[in-house]
Amino acid sequence: VVKIPLSEISDVAKFYEYGDAEYFVVKSGDGSVKTAFNACDVCYRNRKGYSQDGDFMVCNNCGNKYPIIGLGTENKNVGGCWPGYLPSYIEGENLIISVDDLNEGKWRF
């Protein structure tokens, strides 16, 4: 597993790499922690990823904006842009991400 101390997570998205996979972690307005791949199922071929604009993550390829509070789910618009789903959970003082999940999503990169 990958462990990220909760103390490192804020409302400013932080980007990480694990092998070929890129992902981001950000705290939403309700205090929950959101994780997602830095690519989606559609725009990933362009390798532009996401950037943050306030309470939104923005696809750097198509310009679609996604409320951070709504992230952390499977794609809501099948066939459309959406930050790639990356499961995570909190254990003690750390956010935990499975290496298997990171490896499963590396096809986007």
Side-chain angles (χ1 to χ4, degrees):
V1 298
V2 172
K3 294 182 179 182
I4 300 171
L6 293 175
S7 60
E8 290 183 12
I9 302 169
S10 73
D11 61 355
V12 175
K14 189 168 181 181
F15 294 83
Y16 298 87
E17 292 181 11
Y18 182 87
D20 293 331
E22 298 175 17
Y23 61 100
F24 62 85
V25 178
V26 62
K27 189 179 289 187
S28 72
D30 69 356
S32 62
V33 176
K34 306 296 184 174
T35 56
F37 284 105
N38 191 28
C40 78
D41 300 348
V42 176
C43 297
Y44 73 91
R45 290 176 185 92
N46 295 294
R47 301 185 185 274
K48 294 184 180 178
Y50 288 86
S51 57
Q52 186 174 2
D53 182 12
D55 292 335
F56 294 86
M57 294 305 289
V58 181
C59 176
N60 294 326
N61 184 62
C62 69
N64 285 351
K65 289 181 139 185
Y66 305 97
I68 291 171
I69 200 165
L71 299 181
T73 66
E74 297 282 350
N75 192 337
K76 294 182 179 182
N77 301 312
V78 176
C81 182
W82 182 257
Y85 177 60
L86 177 59
S88 64
Y89 62 94
I90 294 173
E91 182 177 272
E93 296 298 316
N94 294 296
L95 178 74
I96 307 295
I97 300 172
S98 163
V99 168
D100 289 341
D101 289 332
L102 288 165
N103 286 330
E104 283 182 32
K106 70 182 179 182
W107 59 267
R108 294 176 178 90
F109 306 96

